[in-house]
Amino acid sequence: MELLSILLQAATTSLNAVGATIGAGLVVIGAGIGIGKIGSSAMDAIGRQPEAAGDVRMSMIIGAALIEGAALFAIVVCFLAL
């Protein structure tokens, strides 16, 4: 009976680690896609209206910072699940 509880505990621990690493990977992929879309849209906007480049660039940086903050928070939560 004791061996069974040890095996179940080991399996649960390894599944938590797998889940946390998959979650962290998904967070990084999502953040990369989001920042890529922001950059692409910003370059399109600057190409259409070059005189608004400063405003578009500032909005892009703020949006990217918010995405990075949310991604960092999600990665910390994934690592705390370990």
Side-chain angles (χ1 to χ4, degrees):
M1 214 47 177
E2 190 173 316
L3 179 63
L4 180 62
S5 66
I6 292 172
L7 288 175
L8 285 174
Q9 184 180 9
T12 304
T13 304
S14 66
L15 286 178
N16 286 344
V18 169
T21 53
I22 289 174
L26 289 174
V27 166
V28 169
I29 290 171
I33 291 171
I35 291 174
K37 286 189 177 226
I38 286 175
S40 172
S41 297
M43 292 303 113
D44 286 342
I46 290 172
R48 290 186 181 134
Q49 280 189 317
E51 65 274 0
D55 294 335
V56 172
R57 187 178 306 117
M58 184 58 64
S59 297
M60 178 185 74
I61 290 171
I62 291 171
L66 290 173
I67 289 175
E68 284 292 322
L72 180 64
F73 179 73
I75 288 174
V76 168
V77 169
C78 287
F79 287 141
L80 286 176
L82 293 175

